[in-house]
Amino acid sequence: MKLPPDLHMHTPLCRHATGEPTDYARRAAELGLAEIGFSDHSPMRDDDFDDWRMRFDQLDEYVEKVRRAQKDFPQLTIRLALEIDYLPGHEDWIRELAARHPWDYLIGSVHYVSDTWAIDNPHKLSEWKHRDTFEVWSAYFERLTLAADSGLFEIIGHADLPKKFGHRPTRDCAPLYEKFLNAAKARGCAIELNTAGLRKDCREIYPSRDIVQLAFQKGVPITFGSDAHAPTEVGMNFAEAWQLARAVGYSEALTFAGRKRQNLKLD
Ligand SMILES: [Zn+2]
Ligand SMILES: [Zn+2]
């Protein structure tokens, strides 16, 4: 089994990750990965929006750090990307970011279900107590569907993030998944198998097997990401993610160069 590219990795510029891109690349080389991609948390138009992303004036520095890793590890294919927060109304800002550098791909992620609450923020965990779990999941998937439908992203990140701390609705969420995956299929948008969920309370890959299964049935392509926030997390649990993909029927995954898709055989 050859490990697929790890297309979701961070840098210290986001203020909650450690290790330089070169350190992540070294780890990837040790593991025998042929390809990786950096997709750090993109800046917001307003630098004070929150405190877990790079500032706008650090964007060039971010690109430089990735370029340095490319020079240090010429044997690796290293992609330049961003993980961009999708919030309704931010589309023009996302287009501005997209035009700023020659990105290989953009991951669209929903962390915010309102302008002030990022559901995965451990410092805002108490907010869950005041909310109905199903309503949070509904609001989340509504935004995720808009993100897929926006056509702004090649990949949708960690598609069932609300399970992170173990908040799972008792009501059936299948209609939410359906709508989201139909939008992804229509726009040719991939979903990522993100192994960070295995390191969180939910102890499960994002998204869950039933979503991955449905994605396969609908013909939605996949990518792989560790969501590494430290070099030791690069490629973590990729064998498990690979097995999940194969088990539901996938024989191919995607990577991207210059925002154009490339098919990879999962062998
Ligand atoms: Zn992060
Ligand atoms: Zn994320």
Side-chain angles (χ1 to χ4, degrees), residues 65-74 78-80 104:
K65 282 175 184 283
V66 176
R67 297 287 183 228
R68 208 169 308 145
Q70 288 171 333
K71 283 198 194 84
D72 290 347
F73 289 87
I78 302 182
R79 308 288 183 193
L80 174 67
D104 287 310

Side-chain angles (χ1 to χ4, degrees), residues 13-27:
L13 291 172
C14 70
R15 293 175 270 180
H16 61 281
T18 55
E20 293 300 321
T22 288
D23 304 321
Y24 289 67
R26 185 176 302 113
R27 177 67 184 146

Side-chain angles (χ1 to χ4, degrees), residues 180-233:
F180 160 60
L181 291 170
N182 286 343
K185 172 62 185 166
R187 286 295 197 157
C189 193
I191 60 166
E192 66 166 2
L193 269 59
N194 180 318
T195 58
L198 291 165
R199 313 193 291 273
K200 311 295 182 199
D201 295 345
C202 60
R203 301 266 166 227
E204 195 180 85
I205 287 170
Y206 302 116
S208 60
R209 187 186 169 116
D210 48 341
I211 298 177
V212 181
Q213 176 95 60
L214 197 57
F216 175 71
Q217 285 163 3
K218 289 183 183 292
V220 175
I222 52 166
T223 61
F224 291 83
S226 65
D227 212 339
H229 284 69
T232 51
E233 293 172 349

